[in-house]
Amino acid sequence: MTLNQFNALPEDQQLAAVYATGTYVARRWQEVYEAVLLYEMPGRFFVELTYHVDTNEVQYLFPFEAGGEDDRLGDYAMFVQLPGWLPAVE
């Protein structure tokens, strides 16, 4: 599925597609009660699900392509942990 095909789906089918075929990548916090979950989709695009932790509901989703105008991957950079076998850089 391409990003355009995904965007053409109704929101409930988009959410179902994320859960069925997406690969969980990372989580960041937008607010104390809002977790943003990042999924990579098979068509090489990403979807963010903003999840309200108090109500246990997805508030909205945001699909985007890496390197595109709406790329949000930089928001997750501070959470990346490199393996311990990499040499230290000074």
Side-chain angles (χ1 to χ4, degrees):
M1 174 183 306
T2 67
L3 178 60
N4 289 335
Q5 291 169 328
F6 182 84
N7 285 333
L9 295 173
E11 189 171 320
D12 62 327
Q13 290 181 17
Q14 288 178 343
L15 187 58
V18 169
Y19 286 136
T21 63
T23 301
Y24 173 79
V25 177
R27 178 189 67 217
R28 66 180 175 88
W29 292 95
Q30 188 161 287
E31 299 289 339
V32 173
Y33 55 87
E34 285 183 342
V36 182
L37 310 176
L38 179 66
Y39 289 84
E40 182 178 11
M41 299 299 288
R44 303 294 300 158
F45 63 94
F46 296 88
V47 178
E48 283 188 330
L49 299 181
T50 301
Y51 179 79
H52 194 289
V53 295
D54 290 338
T55 62
N56 293 324
E57 294 179 336
V58 173
Q59 293 180 308
Y60 54 90
L61 49 87
F62 184 82
F64 65 91
E65 289 181 309
E69 183 178 317
D70 296 323
D71 186 346
R72 295 184 177 184
L73 292 178
D75 295 342
Y76 298 89
M78 72 175 95
F79 302 110
V80 173
Q81 294 183 8
L82 297 175
W85 54 263
L86 286 174
V89 176
E90 294 182 23

